[in-house]
Amino acid sequence: MVVAVWVTVNQGYQEPYIWMLFAIEEFCKSLVTMQFVIMVLELRQRFCSLNADLRLSLPLPCNSEMRGLLCGTSRRLAPARKLRQLREAHVALARAAEFLQSHFGWPVAFDVTYCVCGATCSAYEVLMMTVKPRSIVEFSYSQQPAVSALWFAFHTLKLLSVVLSCAATADETAATGAFLLRAVVTSDLRCADVEAFLQLTLHSPPLRFTAAGFVTLDRRLLVSAFAAMVTYLVILGQLSSQ
């Protein structure tokens, strides 16, 4: 971000207060994005720890081969109330995810929109500077394709960091229900705590990070954003050629 702002300012903006405001704006937006990504990854790490403890606490399957496949070679015995504590921890983490989405919903929606639009604009500048350099000079921040390519990489990396961190956390949350379901199916012993935990994961809504409820932040969003950028580039390229 610092390199992209410095190169753009060095070529395009002459007044000091303009580039200072521009740099402060980009820094604040990047800071919000970084804070959201770090908190989402922290939430994922806690779900990973919960799932690791859950694998050690579930009832063992009767089949030795199935036991090694699902539980691994090393296993320690857990106290009787361990599953109840893990269930309470799962509820607390799910509630924390709801608070996180309610707090960052609109900023993330704005940031995702800004990244998609900025990446499309930067890609269009690179395309036009390569094909028809004179037609885009007056509308571009810079006069070199490398600078626009740098901005395209910056917007793309921001979008990737937000979407992939949210998708990884959602996958780790879904793994909890998969572990419980396998334990119930493969074990002949019935445990009330395991069944209660399984009912909680089955009837609770799946964890999905959204941008203020408009779009779901998962890997499909990357495909949709890429398709939208390609579509707009084709349309803008045809209009510019005319």
Side-chain angles (χ1 to χ4, degrees), residues 58-80:
L58 292 174
L60 288 172
C62 299
N63 191 332
S64 59
E65 295 181 357
M66 187 65 68
R67 186 186 307 121
L69 178 63
L70 298 180
C71 304
T73 56
S74 62
R75 180 183 174 93
R76 59 178 174 82
L77 294 178

Side-chain angles (χ1 to χ4, degrees), residues 49-60 70-79 82-83 86 179:
S49 300
L50 186 146
N51 290 335
D53 289 339
L54 183 62
R55 283 194 294 267
L56 299 176
S57 305
L58 292 174
L60 288 172
L70 298 180
C71 304
T73 56
S74 62
R75 180 183 174 93
R76 59 178 174 82
L77 294 178
K82 184 68 174 180
L83 287 172
L86 292 176
F179 293 146

Side-chain angles (χ1 to χ4, degrees), residues 90-91 94 197-207:
H90 187 274
V91 174
F197 204 164
L198 178 61
Q199 292 297 321
L200 173 65
T201 57
L202 289 178
H203 295 288
S204 298
L207 178 61

Side-chain angles (χ1 to χ4, degrees), residues 74-127:
S74 62
R75 180 183 174 93
R76 59 178 174 82
L77 294 178
R81 59 179 182 178
K82 184 68 174 180
L83 287 172
R84 182 174 302 177
Q85 294 176 349
L86 292 176
R87 187 172 72 245
E88 294 174 354
H90 187 274
V91 174
L93 290 176
R95 185 57 177 165
E98 294 177 1
F99 278 120
L100 184 62
Q101 292 195 75
S102 62
H103 183 71
F104 283 95
W106 285 105
V108 170
F110 173 79
D111 196 44
V112 169
T113 305
Y114 173 73
C115 288
V116 174
C117 295
T120 305
C121 180
S122 300
Y124 175 68
E125 290 179 358
V126 173
L127 177 64

Side-chain angles (χ1 to χ4, degrees), residues 25-235:
E25 178 189 5
E26 290 298 327
F27 176 76
C28 292
K29 288 187 291 188
S30 300
L31 195 63
V32 172
T33 303
M34 186 183 302
Q35 183 181 10
F36 175 74
V37 171
I38 290 175
M39 296 184 73
V40 170
L41 292 178
E42 175 66 24
L43 191 64
R44 177 186 178 275
Q45 183 60 37
R46 293 181 182 272
F47 272 112
C48 289
S49 300
L50 186 146
N51 290 335
D53 289 339
L54 183 62
R55 283 194 294 267
L56 299 176
S57 305
L58 292 174
L60 288 172
C62 299
N63 191 332
S64 59
E65 295 181 357
M66 187 65 68
R67 186 186 307 121
L69 178 63
L70 298 180
C71 304
T73 56
S74 62
R75 180 183 174 93
R76 59 178 174 82
L77 294 178
R81 59 179 182 178
K82 184 68 174 180
L83 287 172
R84 182 174 302 177
Q85 294 176 349
L86 292 176
R87 187 172 72 245
E88 294 174 354
H90 187 274
V91 174
L93 290 176
R95 185 57 177 165
E98 294 177 1
F99 278 120
L100 184 62
Q101 292 195 75
S102 62
H103 183 71
F104 283 95
W106 285 105
V108 170
F110 173 79
D111 196 44
V112 169
T113 305
Y114 173 73
C115 288
V116 174
C117 295
T120 305
C121 180
S122 300
Y124 175 68
E125 290 179 358
V126 173
L127 177 64
M128 295 307 297
M129 286 181 186
T130 305
V131 178
K132 300 174 64 176
R134 296 181 180 179
S135 62
I136 195 64
V137 171
E138 59 184 75
F139 303 104
S140 177
Y141 284 118
S142 63
Q143 299 180 4
Q144 294 183 4
V147 179
S148 298
L150 188 62
W151 277 108
F152 175 79
F154 169 67
H155 293 304
T156 303
L157 287 177
K158 283 183 64 177
L159 184 63
L160 285 173
S161 63
V162 172
V163 172
L164 293 182
S165 61
C166 293
T169 304
D171 292 343
E172 196 65 34
T173 307
T176 304
F179 293 146
L180 292 168
L181 186 60
R182 293 169 188 166
V184 172
V185 171
T186 58
S187 178
D188 294 335
L189 300 176
R190 295 301 177 187
C191 180
D193 290 329
V194 174
E195 294 181 356
F197 204 164
L198 178 61
Q199 292 297 321
L200 173 65
T201 57
L202 289 178
H203 295 288
S204 298
L207 178 61
R208 293 288 184 271
F209 289 95
T210 63
F214 292 104
V215 292
T216 302
L217 301 176
D218 55 9
R219 296 177 182 89
R220 289 176 294 182
L221 178 60
L222 296 177
V223 179
S224 300
F226 178 75
M229 284 190 289
V230 172
T231 302
Y232 277 105
L233 285 177
V234 171
I235 294 174

